[in-house]
Amino acid sequence: MKAFLQLILPSLIVPVLLSFSVYKLRKRYPDVIKGLAIIWLPSYLWINGWPDFNSVEASNWLWLVTIVSVGLVIVPGKQSILGMAQGVFLAISLIVMIMPVSHLMDIVLGMELLLALIVGGTIFIVPDAKRGSLPALSLAISTGGFGIIGSLGGSLLLGQFAMTLAAILSMFALQELFPREAKQALASQVLWPMVQLYIILLMIALVYSDLPVGPAVLLLIAPLSGFILPRRYGAIASTICVAAALVWL
């Protein structure tokens, strides 16, 4: 029982409670939503422990990815420019992540990293007016699916990180399902830091935890549908991708 609580407290209960708090605070303090991804850090530190600044382990630097990406959301500027900045930051993060095993670099791994950059870049440049109406739900489905698949695929740590992201998105994913609340749905910019974390976690699982390429590609495509497909179709496509990845695994 104790082990079970140690598993679900940081991965589910704490992030859901923090998500609910931000959901309520948003009505009184609208700008608080821009820092939504920050509430991932308490669970990250609980699960991962305090970062070792001398470590080159990729997962040990996810706190920095969170802070920088949230900073790019908070800073004022045009959405197109900030989206481009997020894409550049994703490219830098992927390069840094792959450096310890750069000697294993081949054309297949290069194509996988390029696909990750294309998916992230597409999400970052899709304007709110043209994005799907259920991006938070699609991202929640994708992160939750990755949590299960990542755990089964050999890394409980990465699975927990992904489940925490899904828990943070829970309140806002449910909000998108109700027509009255849909008008208050999250802008795509608010979701960018969690997209960054999701893609980087997925690439860490692929490169360092031997997640099979097929499920990894399906999981990579899964959140993209929520940003580019019409209402409901995005969530359905994400669910299909996650289900196919689980069956494949």
Side-chain angles (χ1 to χ4, degrees):
M1 183 65 179
K2 183 179 179 181
F4 179 70
L5 286 175
Q6 289 176 339
L7 181 66
I8 67 168
L9 272 174
S11 302
L12 294 175
I13 296 176
V14 170
V16 166
L17 291 175
L18 290 174
S19 176
F20 181 74
S21 299
V22 173
Y23 177 79
K24 287 296 185 181
L25 282 171
R26 181 192 183 189
K27 295 179 180 179
R28 191 168 183 178
Y29 306 102
D31 287 342
V32 75
I33 198 65
K34 293 181 179 180
L36 178 63
I38 290 293
I39 65 176
W40 184 75
L41 290 178
S43 292
Y44 165 75
L45 293 173
W46 189 338
I47 296 167
N48 188 72
W50 195 255
D52 179 4
F53 297 104
N54 294 320
S55 173
V56 295
E57 189 174 337
S59 61
N60 204 46
W61 292 93
L62 292 172
W63 62 273
L64 183 60
V65 172
T66 307
I67 291 172
V68 173
S69 190
V70 169
L72 292 174
V73 171
I74 295 173
V75 68
K78 291 184 178 180
Q79 184 177 3
S80 58
I81 295 175
L82 295 178
M84 191 178 299
Q86 291 279 1
V88 171
F89 179 59
L90 175 60
I92 293 171
S93 299
L94 291 174
I95 291 170
V96 172
M97 181 209 74
I98 200 68
M99 281 179 65
V101 292
S102 57
H103 58 286
L104 300 176
M105 191 74 175
D106 57 19
I107 189 168
V108 175
L109 182 55
M111 292 297 291
E112 292 161 355
L113 292 171
L114 179 60
L115 179 60
L117 186 58
I118 290 172
V119 169
T122 301
I123 291 175
F124 297 145
I125 64 172
V126 174
D128 279 337
K130 295 182 180 179
R131 69 176 171 85
S133 57
L134 302 177
L137 179 59
S138 291
L139 189 55
I141 291 169
S142 303
T143 51
F146 176 40
I148 297 170
I149 293 168
S151 299
L152 294 174
S155 178
L156 180 60
L157 177 66
L158 297 178
Q160 280 188 280
F161 287 156
M163 288 302 298
T164 302
L165 286 176
I168 288 172
L169 289 163
S170 59
M171 287 302 303
F172 304 95
L174 290 172
Q175 183 185 37
E176 290 182 341
L177 294 175
F178 297 95
R180 291 183 180 180
E181 298 287 335
K183 293 180 180 179
Q184 300 298 319
L186 295 180
S188 57
Q189 281 181 270
V190 175
L191 296 170
W192 287 348
M194 283 166 281
V195 172
Q196 291 270 14
L197 288 168
Y198 176 77
I199 292 175
I200 292 170
L201 283 170
L202 189 53
M203 291 298 102
I204 292 173
L206 178 65
V207 175
Y208 293 99
S209 298
D210 298 323
L211 181 68
V213 174
V217 170
L218 287 168
L219 288 172
L220 191 58
I221 296 170
L224 179 62
S225 60
F227 288 81
I228 63 175
L229 294 180
R231 184 174 178 82
R232 290 189 179 86
Y233 293 109
I236 292 171
S238 296
T239 303
I240 291 172
C241 286
V242 169
L246 183 57
V247 171
W248 190 324
L249 185 67

